[in-house]
Amino acid sequence: MDKLTALIGAVFVIGGSVAAWQFIGTQDTAVGHSMTPPDTSEIAQGDPIVQVKLPSELSTQAAIGKNIFETKCSECHGENAAGRNDIAPPLVHKIYEPGHHSDMAFVLAAQNGVRAHHWKFGNMPKIEGLTQGDVKMVAAYVRELQRANGIN
């Protein structure tokens, strides 16, 4: 066996081992990171999951996003994106910080739906009637709420 064949074989063996280790190591934890949702067992069903401080003022884009959020998102994600226990998570939470969930993640979630992977509230369905621009304005609103609550 020549050196190139041995090298290729070693890459496949190491890659397969890493993939198996990743798969086995994430079976009982949140996918992709160690962020853990808070314990919500003491919160009544439908009640807010987090307390949200409101910014003193919203940008024009975020104000439009707030109106869209209230129409399309707040039924599940709660007033001011505080979440609703056993229904949908708070978007004002470290799990949704920009470094972990980009604005495009919000667009894709609304456009395609998303399987439950951080919280145990079930899958999110796709949201009909929103453009990418609408969701980007919602994301601007959520980001301003996050910043007002120390999430950058």
Side-chain angles (χ1 to χ4, degrees):
M1 169 164 38
D2 66 19
K3 290 180 183 181
L4 181 59
T5 304
L7 178 62
I8 292 171
V11 168
F12 278 110
V13 168
I14 292 169
S17 298
V18 169
W21 176 73
Q22 291 275 339
F23 177 77
I24 292 167
T26 60
Q27 291 306 296
D28 294 325
T29 61
V31 174
H33 62 77
S34 62
M35 290 185 193
T36 305
D39 177 12
T40 60
S41 62
E42 300 294 319
I43 301 172
Q45 183 174 359
D47 280 358
I49 297 170
V50 298
Q51 298 297 316
V52 177
K53 277 191 277 180
L54 300 177
S56 58
E57 191 175 349
L58 292 173
S59 68
T60 302
Q61 189 175 22
I64 294 168
K66 179 181 187 212
N67 290 333
I68 296 166
F69 183 90
E70 288 173 349
T71 302
K72 292 288 197 173
C73 312
S74 66
E75 182 179 338
C76 294
H77 287 286
E79 185 177 341
N80 299 313
R84 294 188 61 219
N85 195 33
D86 292 329
I87 297 170
L91 300 176
V92 180
H93 191 278
K94 183 172 177 54
I95 287 174
Y96 300 101
E97 70 185 348
H100 185 68
H101 283 88
S102 69
D103 292 357
M104 196 58 177
F106 286 87
V107 170
L108 293 173
Q111 186 176 359
N112 303 319
V114 66
R115 69 175 178 78
H117 60 286
H118 295 296
W119 307 80
K120 297 182 180 188
F121 301 151
N123 298 335
M124 177 182 153
K126 70 179 185 175
I127 307 302
E128 300 292 340
L130 291 177
T131 67
Q132 283 192 12
D134 292 336
V135 180
K136 287 178 182 178
M137 285 186 262
V138 168
Y141 169 60
V142 169
R143 297 304 186 206
E144 289 186 24
L145 289 174
Q146 289 174 336
R147 283 191 293 278
N149 287 273
I151 301 167
N152 297 308

